[in-house]
Amino acid sequence: MSAQQRVALWAAEPDLDDEINDVDIPLTIPSYPTADIYDDPANLQLDETALLAVQAQIAQQTAFAQIPDVVKRFIVHFHQAVLDNNLPEITVAYESGWNRLTEKFYAKTEWPEAEIIAPLVNDDQIFLVLYRELYYRHVYSRLQPNIDDRFHSYENSCELFNYLLNSDGPVALSLPSQWLWDIIDEFIYQFQSFALFRSRPANKTDDELAMLGSEGGAQAWSSYSVLNVLYSLIQKSHVNEWLKARAEGKTDDETEHVAGEYGTRPLYRQLGYFSLIGLLRVHVLLGDFTLALKVMEQVGLGLGVGQKAPFTAPTAAHVSTSYHAGVCYLMLRRVTDAARVFTGCLNWVMRARQYHTRSYQYDQINKTAERMYALLALCNTLAPTRLDDNVMNIVREKYGDQMTRMGRGEEGLSTFEEIFLYACPKFITANGPPYDDPTALGLLLNPPTPSSPTSTSAPNNTASDPTHRHLRALTAHFMSLTPVPVLRSLLKLYTSLDARKLAGFLDAGVDEEEVLSWMMVMKNAGRCIGRVSIAAGVDKDDEKGAGSNGAPSNGGGSLLDGEWMSISDLNFVIDENMIHIAESTVGRRYAGWFIRNSEHAARVLDGLRASPLPSASVAAKAQGKEGDAKGDKNTKGDGAPRSSGQKVAWGGVKAA
């Protein structure tokens, strides 16, 4: 149809507009609600749980995308090694890979949470528990854990030990001994850290007070739960029975039969053995030094001739054992045994230093060794005895001035306290403040004002501190020995001396009776209970030696065994008012001197062999100078040997 026809068509309906105008069409316009309904929370019918889940998923995806690719590959490789029980690969990933990536990416921040890396490991719950153990250990060592971290680390530890102890039979899991020791060591460290955190209620927020006062807060990191885990691992592995059978020289089949189903697995046997060392540490922290040594009676300290540790345990395990056992002996006033334990361990650390310098625990081992040097200085002050020269030279180099001040008696009390507070463990209490009782907690934070000036209820921050309680006990023993150094220096000058004359040498106002009482104090200070006969140079453990078939001995019974012995080289008797003195001298130990100098010569020789050779020009110049010197010597020396002739034994020449 053409355009003219279309126009004609429309033109043929002239009344079309009029007809439309005459029709009454009802037009209904809907009323739209205003946008204000979105501002009213009451009108929102959204599922907040679903919204939070979506937000969390988005946050996890974002955090997962931020993980470096090398970390993702490491986690996948680590998980596969754990699944395959591939100990070499697990050891490399644990001791090298984890620490290297920590230094590179997470030195000042947390590793990704377990929920974020779960897709990489197919949501393997066992591996995620192990991963959280490493995660929280990193938080405790590199960062500052908050109260949520402390509670969550406790929950993860409970989950790990429940899996190991409550599964149907031994679990099919293999971990290196270093990791197993670190699990026990970190478990006890986090318990100690929480106990110290809980013991200071003054700087807690309201939320922290509420969490600590709840039922879960009272059960988290309780002494009962920690001791229950350690004793359960020992009982499950039958490690005490295995150690006893091994010390008695039984065959391998007999010892395996004693160990049982769990004890034959390296995982449980090593966990049980490390739990014994952990119990030693826990009882020391709680102040029960006798029980701490009691639990080690089947282990021994491995310091006698023929004694060896039942396992090639990590270096940190040996150092921790010796440190805490030495603290036990020191607090029980068995100073010579403490000095012997410290000296043996420090000697071993010095010999093995070149083998653990690259270990990630090198700093921790060094810190513990430094504390043992400090405690050895205290031992030498309380009971001067002859110890290893190598160790004592280092002690004098580090604490020579402090030892001199402590040797002056009461004048060195502050130095004694300073060294002890630096070197001792951070003792804890088994029970924390009453967070569940606001009234009692308020009285603890704001004690009442004393009613009289002589009242003993004045607030004292250190009165309830367990570390200061042990310090007061040890300083009381130190103060009782203050007259001994002066008396010792005077008695060394005489073979017999009148008590009245001795009183005249001392400070004014000291009478004869007081001098005799001081002599009794000195007599008592020269005797103690110990396992080592210093005067004879014989160790009871050395007499035991090894078993008949070469099995290592555990040291001849409990570590609490001992007998009274003299530890002083100065002896005296009192006949009425006359003092007769006898000083015993110990000959020099030439064997030790020879060994030390032989080792020094070997080190010098190794250094010369490792040093680079001189360059050709320097060697030529040196050879030229040497030739000139020889020529001068041949021309000037009348008795120089000739280059020809028949030589005899020592390079001379027979006369013609």
Side-chain angles (χ1 to χ4, degrees):
M1 181 181 298
S2 62
Q4 294 179 353
Q5 293 176 341
R6 286 199 299 269
V7 172
L9 178 62
W10 287 106
E13 301 291 338
D15 298 330
L16 183 60
D17 294 335
D18 296 338
E19 293 178 0
I20 293 177
N21 293 331
D22 293 340
V23 178
D24 185 10
I25 301 176
L27 298 178
T28 304
I29 300 177
S31 60
Y32 294 98
T34 62
D36 297 338
I37 62 171
Y38 299 109
D39 298 331
D40 187 4
N43 295 323
L44 295 177
Q45 303 296 329
L46 298 178
D47 188 355
E48 294 185 1
T49 304
L51 181 61
L52 292 176
V54 172
Q55 292 176 350
Q57 184 178 3
I58 295 174
Q60 288 185 3
Q61 292 175 355
T62 305
F64 183 83
Q66 294 176 352
I67 300 177
D69 292 338
V70 63
V71 176
K72 294 179 182 178
R73 291 194 298 269
F74 166 76
I75 293 175
V76 172
H77 174 75
F78 199 2
H79 174 240
Q80 189 61 42
V82 172
L83 285 180
D84 298 339
N85 286 330
N86 191 336
L87 275 180
E89 292 293 334
I90 297 175
T91 303
V92 172
Y94 175 75
E95 296 186 2
S96 178
W98 177 272
N99 296 289
R100 187 176 67 252
L101 293 176
T102 297
E103 294 293 339
K104 187 174 182 179
F105 297 106
Y106 304 107
K108 297 182 179 180
T109 185
E110 301 93 345
W111 272 73
E113 295 184 357
E115 292 74 16
I116 297 176
I117 61 102
L120 292 173
V121 298
N122 298 324
D123 203 19
D124 186 349
Q125 294 300 315
I126 304 305
F127 181 81
L128 292 179
V129 169
L130 296 174
Y131 177 83
R132 289 191 191 97
E133 193 273 330
L134 296 173
Y135 172 87
Y136 288 116
R137 191 195 308 174
H138 170 70
V139 171
Y140 274 85
S141 62
R142 297 295 186 97
L143 309 172
Q144 184 65 33
N146 54 35
I147 191 169
D148 291 329
D149 293 328
R150 299 179 188 276
F151 279 95
H152 291 160
S153 64
Y154 172 73
E155 295 171 357
N156 187 73
S157 298
C158 292
E159 189 173 354
L160 173 61
F161 290 119
N162 284 333
Y163 167 70
L164 294 174
L165 295 171
N166 299 329
S167 298
D168 296 333
V171 300
L173 181 66
S174 296
L175 297 177
S177 60
Q178 180 67 63
W179 195 351
L180 297 176
W181 161 251
D182 289 339
I183 288 175
I184 299 296
D185 183 64
E186 185 67 19
F187 178 63
I188 299 172
Y189 170 75
Q190 292 178 10
F191 160 66
Q192 178 189 16
S193 176
F194 185 85
L196 295 173
F197 169 79
R198 182 183 56 189
S199 65
R200 294 186 285 266
N203 56 356
K204 300 290 184 295
T205 63
D206 294 339
D207 293 339
E208 292 175 343
L209 292 174
M211 293 181 67
L212 292 172
S214 63
E215 183 179 357
Q219 295 178 356
W221 292 114
S222 64
S223 302
Y224 173 79
S225 61
V226 173
L227 292 173
N228 183 42
V229 167
L230 298 177
Y231 277 110
S232 297
L233 288 171
I234 294 171
Q235 184 179 5
K236 183 74 72 172
S237 63
H238 295 90
V239 66
N240 274 324
E241 293 81 359
W242 180 80
L243 289 171
K244 184 177 180 180
R246 192 169 180 265
E248 292 174 352
K250 294 185 177 180
T251 62
D252 293 340
D253 294 337
E254 292 174 337
T255 55
E256 295 298 326
H257 177 72
V258 170
E261 181 184 7
Y262 286 86
T264 55
R265 301 295 183 93
L267 175 74
Y268 287 94
R269 179 179 294 175
Q270 294 182 23
L271 280 176
Y273 177 74
F274 295 146
S275 295
L276 288 172
I277 302 176
L279 274 180
L280 167 69
R281 179 179 173 184
V282 170
H283 289 309
V284 168
L285 296 178
L286 295 174
D288 195 342
F289 307 109
T290 301
L291 185 57
L293 293 175
K294 183 71 174 177
V295 299
M296 294 288 290
E297 61 183 6
Q298 296 297 336
V299 179
L301 299 178
L303 299 177
V305 175
Q307 294 186 34
K308 296 179 181 179
F311 297 103
T312 307
T315 304
H318 286 301
V319 175
S320 176
T321 303
S322 299
Y323 171 73
H324 290 97
V327 170
C328 289
Y329 282 130
L330 177 61
M331 300 307 297
L332 293 174
R333 311 297 186 270
R334 297 175 59 166
V335 184
T336 54
D337 286 342
R340 173 219 180 197
V341 172
F342 292 143
T343 303
C345 180
L346 291 172
N347 256 327
W348 182 81
V349 169
M350 285 191 295
R351 290 195 300 267
R353 186 180 300 273
Q354 58 180 334
Y355 300 107
H356 61 258
T357 51
R358 299 183 63 182
S359 172
Y360 68 95
Q361 291 189 332
Y362 179 70
D363 293 337
Q364 178 186 353
I365 295 170
N366 266 354
K367 290 179 181 178
T368 308
E370 290 297 326
R371 291 180 178 180
M372 284 193 282
Y373 281 121
L375 291 176
L376 195 56
L378 299 185
C379 294
N380 191 71
T381 300
L382 295 174
T385 53
R386 183 165 185 173
L387 299 172
D388 184 83
D389 292 339
N390 279 340
V391 176
M392 286 309 301
N393 288 338
I394 298 177
V395 172
R396 294 188 187 97
E397 180 182 350
K398 293 178 178 292
Y399 300 100
D401 297 338
Q402 291 91 329
M403 292 171 63
T404 302
R405 287 196 296 269
M406 289 187 292
R408 297 170 186 166
E410 189 174 355
E411 181 182 346
L413 178 60
S414 60
T415 303
F416 185 91
E417 294 177 345
E418 179 184 355
I419 293 179
F420 179 80
L421 291 176
Y422 159 72
C424 73
K426 294 182 179 179
F427 297 101
I428 59 177
T429 55
N431 299 316
Y435 287 102
D436 55 343
D437 188 352
T439 304
L441 185 62
L443 291 176
L444 180 65
L445 294 175
N446 302 305
T449 305
S451 57
S452 63
T454 59
S455 176
T456 58
S457 61
N460 188 358
N461 295 330
T462 62
S464 59
D465 184 18
T467 301
H468 284 83
R469 286 202 302 269
H470 294 298
L471 174 63
R472 287 193 296 270
L474 197 61
T475 52
H477 179 61
F478 170 76
M479 291 300 296
S480 66
L481 303 178
T482 51
V484 173
V486 178
L487 291 175
R488 181 184 177 87
S489 61
L490 291 174
L491 294 180
K492 278 181 170 290
L493 303 176
Y494 298 89
T495 56
S496 61
L497 183 63
D498 184 69
R500 185 177 303 173
K501 185 177 181 180
L502 179 60
F505 291 148
L506 300 174
D507 297 336
V510 178
D511 56 4
E512 187 176 342
E513 293 296 329
E514 189 172 0
V515 169
L516 293 179
S517 66
W518 287 0
M519 296 295 294
M520 293 297 100
V521 171
M522 181 177 177
K523 190 76 171 179
N524 184 64
R527 300 175 68 248
C528 76
I529 298 178
R531 295 162 59 90
V532 187
S533 179
I534 298 296
V538 178
D539 191 337
K540 287 179 65 178
D541 291 344
D542 296 352
E543 297 173 357
K544 301 291 181 182
S548 58
N549 63 346
S553 171
N554 64 353
S558 172
L559 298 179
L560 294 170
D561 293 343
E563 59 186 17
W564 283 99
M565 61 185 185
S566 176
I567 60 174
S568 176
D569 59 351
L570 190 66
N571 196 11
F572 61 88
V573 294
I574 301 176
D575 184 10
E576 294 183 354
N577 288 336
M578 183 63 66
I579 305 171
H580 301 279
I581 304 103
E583 183 179 4
S584 59
T585 58
V586 181
R588 184 172 182 177
R589 299 176 182 177
Y590 295 101
W593 181 89
F594 177 77
I595 292 173
R596 287 193 303 273
N597 285 275
S598 299
E599 291 177 348
H600 176 70
R603 288 193 298 269
V604 172
L605 181 59
D606 292 340
L608 292 176
R609 287 176 175 175
S611 59
L613 294 175
S615 60
S617 59
V618 176
K621 292 180 180 179
Q623 188 175 3
K625 291 182 179 180
E626 184 179 357
D628 296 342
K630 286 184 177 180
D632 296 341
K633 183 176 180 181
N634 291 333
T635 55
K636 295 180 181 179
D638 297 335
R642 297 190 301 269
S643 58
S644 61
Q646 185 178 1
K647 293 185 178 180
V648 292
W650 298 101
V653 181
K654 289 185 177 181

